[in-house]
Amino acid sequence: MVKHQPLQVYEKQVFVSFVTGIYGCRWKRYQRSHDDSSKILACFHISLGQQLNLYWVSIHSNPSLFTCVYLSCLQSTAPFLHLGALAVFTALGWLVAGYVVRRERSNFQVMVLLIYVVLLLLIYLAPLTFRCPCVMNSHSLAPRPEIIGRRGAPMLAPENTMVSFNRALQQGVSSLQADVTISEDGVPFLMRDDTLRRTTDVGKVFPSRQHDDASSFNWTDLRALNAGQWFLESDPYWTADSLSAKERGRAGNQTVCPLVEMLRLAARANRSALLNVRRPPPQHPRHRSWFMDTLWVIQRSGIPQKRVTWTPDTDRGRVRGLQQAADEMLSLEEMRQRGVSSLTLRLYWRDAMLPAPPPREYLANNVSVTVYPVNEAWLYSLLWCSGVPSVSSDAPQDLRKVPYPIWLMSQSAYCFIWITSDLVSIAVVLVIFSFQKWKMSGMQNYNPEHIMLSAVTRRASRDVNVMKEKLIFSELNNGLNSTEDLSLNLENGYASYSCGGH
């Protein structure tokens, strides 16, 4: 997490990270971006200088924390959250019963009881509304989603560099994804941001041009920049310390990567490539020929065109032979008209929500769906159960360790657990209310006069004992030697005390 500073850097701020995680379900540290913020009541989050993106989902009309929590948390853990809520509300029955079974009746007591019963019934019936993808039979489980190295393996090496793509291939990715920018002299190179400030040393080499658009540099200037030292200095994912000395040396000596080198690497490894090409601005010298520059590099690299996926939604008619991808949900008819054969969907885009599971019609018509970014094992498991064919990840080294969904439960097993837990809860609540009523009725039937008489009797007995002790010590002081006289005085003293008490 970072504060708003002229340069984009990473800082270890635990409190800010926690607030961002609570607001947007983004629990991993990320770099500040300039995406549009969601319109939501998050003044406290704004006061910390943080962006307002909701992780995974944002509704077009009114994004909310509840929607984020529901889709990213409730779907994957719904059965367990249901059991936890059931246990909590069953335990609350003790307090509610102790309050509503009192002898004095009031409208507020009736309202409390009614609210408790309604909420309990809603919890009992909540599983009817759950759409948990991981509640399914194991034989219906889709094949394991393929993992795409998003900008290589950016947690292990500087993004969009050759060492990063090599590390991704070592983790067994099925494809490499890269962001492509066209230089001023028509050389496609890999760069995610609009400027070079974050991932290169342009501020040292070209101080006056550090805010210029990345496409405004020619290839000679770009090759003079270091594109790896920033990774070791900022340590964006807290992983730089785990690198060996040799790995740190390679990472620190990376330069800006041309597209042709990445494609040749993918061709040698028999892997596919997913390209997100950024069109140059209108004043750029290659504004009209940028796609031809890219196509020429693809042909020169030797990679089969069928292994290259083209994501820009422009100039599709001129780009023949490549796999066409869209970054939004489209109907099958729209996909046929555009020539789109695959979808690349962002987990927290602004205009749509990822269905769970995704439309089966896509899979039935051989439409490939890739979801990004997927960096957590539980999210990968959820999408696996949802039938997503592939995911794009910044952490392929973590997802490769998930050979099977984290949890999978058959529908019959879950129904048995659901019904059994509801019946047990009902029985416990009835026992609690019965016991509280029996306890309260016993206190109401006890005779108050018996309580007063018992208290008076105990008090009188204590006073008699005190008087006896006083008489004994008094007689001893007066020199009485006869036991009979002492007993007589004690009896007389007790009689006089008794009369005085009446």
Side-chain angles (χ1 to χ4, degrees):
M1 300 301 298
V2 298
K3 296 181 179 179
H4 189 63
Q5 296 177 349
L7 292 180
Q8 295 179 334
V9 297
Y10 293 89
E11 296 177 358
K12 299 177 176 65
Q13 299 186 20
V14 178
F15 177 71
V16 174
S17 300
F18 177 77
V19 173
T20 300
I22 290 295
Y23 173 79
C25 298
R26 300 184 69 172
W27 293 100
K28 285 194 175 183
R29 187 177 58 158
Y30 68 100
Q31 187 183 23
R32 173 181 296 278
S33 66
H34 298 284
D35 299 337
D36 295 334
S37 298
S38 303
K39 297 178 181 178
I40 194 172
L41 296 178
C43 296
F44 179 63
H45 195 257
I46 296 174
S47 66
L48 295 176
Q50 307 305 312
Q51 66 185 23
L52 298 181
N53 289 324
L54 283 176
Y55 186 59
W56 190 354
V57 66
S58 294
I59 299 180
H60 179 69
S61 59
N62 185 21
S64 64
L65 177 62
F66 174 79
T67 306
C68 170
V69 173
Y70 176 79
L71 290 179
S72 63
C73 302
L74 183 58
Q75 283 190 4
S76 60
T77 60
F80 310 103
L81 295 178
H82 170 251
L83 294 177
L86 196 62
V88 170
F89 271 80
T90 301
L92 286 177
W94 181 269
L95 300 177
V96 175
Y99 178 74
V100 301
V101 300
R102 294 179 181 180
R103 187 171 184 179
E104 302 81 6
R105 298 292 182 181
S106 65
N107 294 332
F108 185 74
Q109 288 175 304
V110 176
M111 184 177 64
V112 170
L113 179 60
L114 182 62
I115 293 175
Y116 176 75
V117 172
V118 170
L119 292 178
L120 200 59
L121 289 176
L122 290 177
I123 293 178
Y124 288 157
L125 301 177
L128 294 175
T129 64
F130 290 166
R131 295 181 58 194
C132 186
C134 292
V135 177
M136 61 185 301
N137 296 322
S138 57
H139 60 79
S140 301
L141 183 64
R144 188 173 187 267
E146 295 181 349
I147 302 173
I148 300 174
R150 186 167 178 252
R151 308 182 185 102
M155 292 188 180
L156 303 178
E159 63 181 50
N160 282 327
T161 60
M162 289 302 295
V163 65
S164 180
F165 293 119
N166 276 291
R167 293 299 299 271
L169 292 176
Q170 293 174 4
Q171 304 303 323
V173 300
S174 62
S175 182
L176 299 175
Q177 181 180 3
D179 306 288
V180 183
T181 301
I182 310 299
S183 69
E184 188 179 34
D185 49 355
V187 177
F189 65 97
L190 307 185
M191 183 58 57
R192 173 188 178 184
D193 301 341
D194 295 339
T195 66
L196 304 173
R197 291 183 302 155
R198 182 176 65 90
T199 58
T200 69
D201 60 347
V202 65
K204 297 179 181 178
V205 181
F206 304 105
S208 61
R209 302 183 62 189
Q210 57 179 324
H211 296 282
D212 292 352
D213 193 281
S215 62
S216 65
F217 290 77
N218 59 43
W219 182 239
T220 302
D221 294 339
L222 291 171
R223 293 295 288 181
L225 301 176
N226 183 290
Q229 193 62 36
W230 71 272
F231 178 81
L232 302 177
E233 295 174 354
S234 62
D235 194 6
Y237 298 100
W238 298 354
T239 56
D241 293 339
S242 63
L243 302 179
S244 63
K246 183 178 180 180
E247 292 172 338
R248 292 177 64 88
R250 291 187 60 191
N253 292 325
Q254 292 299 301
T255 58
V256 176
C257 180
L259 174 61
V260 64
E261 291 187 8
M262 189 275 283
L263 293 178
R264 287 173 178 172
L265 177 64
R268 290 194 300 268
N270 197 24
R271 296 293 190 269
S272 302
L274 179 61
L275 305 181
N276 184 15
V277 186
R278 184 169 69 93
R279 185 174 185 175
Q283 66 274 13
H284 196 275
R286 316 297 294 186
H287 177 70
R288 295 183 178 274
S289 60
W290 63 278
F291 57 90
M292 291 302 300
D293 295 332
T294 307
L295 288 178
W296 183 76
V297 167
I298 293 175
Q299 295 175 357
R300 188 161 58 96
S301 66
I303 188 173
Q305 292 188 357
K306 291 185 177 180
R307 289 188 172 274
V308 179
T309 301
W310 181 273
T311 58
D313 198 12
T314 56
D315 297 285
R316 292 190 183 277
R318 303 182 183 183
V319 183
R320 301 292 184 179
L322 305 181
Q323 298 293 325
Q324 301 291 318
D327 57 359
E328 59 180 340
M329 300 288 289
L330 300 175
S331 64
L332 292 177
E333 183 63 26
E334 290 176 318
M335 295 181 66
R336 294 190 188 99
Q337 292 177 357
R338 297 191 188 183
V340 174
S341 59
S342 62
L343 298 177
T344 304
L345 304 178
R346 192 178 181 91
L347 280 179
Y348 47 99
W349 66 94
R350 298 292 171 187
D351 298 326
M353 291 189 302
L354 176 68
R360 296 295 179 180
E361 61 179 4
Y362 287 165
L363 306 181
N365 289 271
N366 296 323
V367 176
S368 177
V369 179
T370 300
V371 180
Y372 74 100
V374 180
N375 300 328
E376 294 82 13
W378 68 267
L379 183 55
Y380 181 69
S381 299
L382 176 61
L383 295 174
W384 186 349
C385 296
S386 300
V388 173
S390 61
V391 300
S392 181
S393 175
D394 297 329
Q397 72 280 1
D398 294 335
L399 300 190
R400 67 174 297 191
K401 301 176 184 177
V402 185
Y404 199 73
I406 293 178
W407 71 273
L408 193 67
M409 185 184 302
S410 66
Q411 187 68 39
S412 58
Y414 178 58
C415 289
F416 174 78
I417 295 175
W418 166 32
I419 296 175
T420 302
S421 59
D422 284 358
L423 293 177
V424 171
S425 175
I426 292 173
V428 172
V429 170
L430 292 177
V431 169
I432 289 175
F433 273 79
S434 300
F435 176 78
Q436 290 282 30
K437 187 172 182 60
W438 171 80
K439 182 180 177 182
M440 186 61 64
S441 63
M443 295 179 61
Q444 293 173 355
N445 294 332
Y446 198 84
N447 191 348
E449 295 181 359
H450 292 170
I451 300 176
M452 296 299 296
L453 289 176
S454 299
V456 171
T457 303
R458 288 193 297 269
R459 182 176 179 181
S461 300
R462 289 195 297 268
D463 292 340
V464 169
N465 292 333
V466 172
M467 180 60 69
K468 285 182 179 181
E469 293 177 359
K470 289 182 178 181
L471 289 174
I472 291 173
F473 286 108
S474 176
E475 294 297 338
L476 290 175
N477 292 333
N478 292 334
L480 292 178
N481 297 322
S482 175
T483 305
E484 293 79 1
D485 294 338
L486 181 60
S487 300
L488 181 60
N489 281 293
L490 287 173
E491 293 176 359
N492 293 335
Y494 175 74
S496 63
Y497 174 78
S498 299
C499 293
H502 289 291

